[in-house]
Amino acid sequence: MSDLLVELGEPNRRIAVVEDHAIWVRGLAALLRYEGSVLTVEHFSTVDDLVNSAGMFDLVILDLILGDATEPTENVDRLNAAGHRVLVITSGERPELVRAAVRAGVLGIVRKSEPDEVIAGAVESALLGEPVASTDWAAAIDSDGEFVPQLSPREREVLAMWASGETAKSVAELLGVSTNTVNVYLRRIKDKYEAIGRPARTKAELRAAAQHAGLSPRPWWKPTKRGH
């Protein structure tokens, strides 16, 4: 059973907040009302309480540190299994908990200290099922080895060259293979990043992935000169 029910206007969307402090939930509800959201906000102290309520919600907002000492991964898994979308809004002082939540499959992670408009925007995006990017989200990915796929030596070489500015054709010439072969490698690399939940479909995203993985071309490689 919930501890608090706040109705804002004529509700057509339902949010559950799993959080120890009812006063924070009231503040969140007031913020969303101020930002023009029309929804119902319901407060639960534990994930157990929410799951046992058998209620269905458009979004669950979860704090990572709860009074019942449950693990974030377990909580996210239970909520996902029950069909709920999960957005984490937390103090963020425990990086290992943030990483665990990212691995478990939340829509995003936002600090409670963020400006009101950032929190409201994150809730709106999550209600639409859209991932919520944040510095904490990026830091969790960048510091977690599980977000680096296992690439073959040739895939690493292709990624390093291509992300450095080469075209598929010039990479093929440098490696002595066909352009089609290089494109096959690039598709495999993109698929591997997609499989670990870190899409890298654009050149900018692949360049960032290469930098994060510490990839650089072999010493003999020289960049192709391009006309101006």
Side-chain angles (χ1 to χ4, degrees):
M1 186 173 180
S2 65
D3 300 311
L4 172 68
L5 178 65
V6 180
E7 292 190 1
L8 310 179
E10 186 170 338
N12 58 11
R13 296 179 295 180
R14 300 184 70 205
I15 291 179
V17 183
V18 184
E19 155 74 43
D20 285 341
H21 304 101
I23 190 169
W24 186 85
V25 181
R26 291 182 184 275
L28 175 66
L31 166 64
L32 296 175
R33 179 174 53 192
Y34 179 79
E35 293 292 332
S37 295
V38 180
L39 45 82
T40 298
V41 179
E42 193 163 351
H43 177 213
F44 297 88
S45 296
T46 68
V47 170
D48 269 341
D49 289 343
L50 188 157
V51 173
N52 291 336
S53 76
M56 288 305 299
F57 299 91
D58 298 288
L59 178 67
V60 175
I61 293 174
L62 175 68
D63 192 0
L64 295 181
I65 302 176
L66 299 173
D68 63 354
T70 49
E71 291 292 327
T73 300
E74 176 189 352
N75 286 335
V76 174
D77 286 345
R78 291 187 66 193
L79 292 170
N80 284 338
H84 298 296
R85 297 168 175 165
V86 182
L87 172 67
V88 168
I89 302 183
T90 190
S91 57
E93 73 270 11
R94 298 276 301 278
E96 73 278 10
L97 298 185
V98 173
R99 288 193 294 270
V102 171
R103 288 196 298 269
V106 298
L107 283 171
I109 297 174
V110 180
R111 284 182 184 261
K112 291 179 177 178
S113 59
E114 290 284 3
D116 289 353
E117 61 271 19
V118 172
I119 293 176
V123 172
E124 285 296 328
S125 295
L127 279 166
L128 296 173
E130 298 173 353
V132 177
S134 69
T135 53
D136 285 285
W137 178 276
I141 290 176
D142 287 344
S143 63
D144 195 332
E146 291 188 20
F147 284 89
V148 179
Q150 296 299 310
L151 302 180
S152 70
R154 183 61 102 184
E155 287 168 345
R156 291 171 64 86
E157 193 164 46
V158 168
L159 175 57
M161 290 183 171
W162 196 77
S164 297
E166 295 293 339
T167 64
K169 181 179 179 181
S170 61
V171 172
E173 291 172 351
L174 287 162
L175 297 179
V177 298
S178 70
T179 302
N180 182 63
T181 297
V182 171
N183 286 328
V184 169
Y185 280 127
L186 289 172
R187 282 197 297 272
R188 288 178 184 170
I189 292 166
K190 293 174 182 180
D191 288 344
K192 287 183 177 182
Y193 273 96
E194 187 82 34
I196 63 169
R198 189 180 185 184
R201 290 290 168 185
T202 67
K203 193 151 193 171
E205 290 171 339
L206 279 173
R207 183 178 296 113
Q211 291 173 344
H212 172 243
L215 298 181
S216 59
R218 290 192 286 177
W220 54 262
W221 172 83
K222 301 294 182 185
T224 300
K225 293 182 179 180
R226 311 204 190 285
H228 298 285

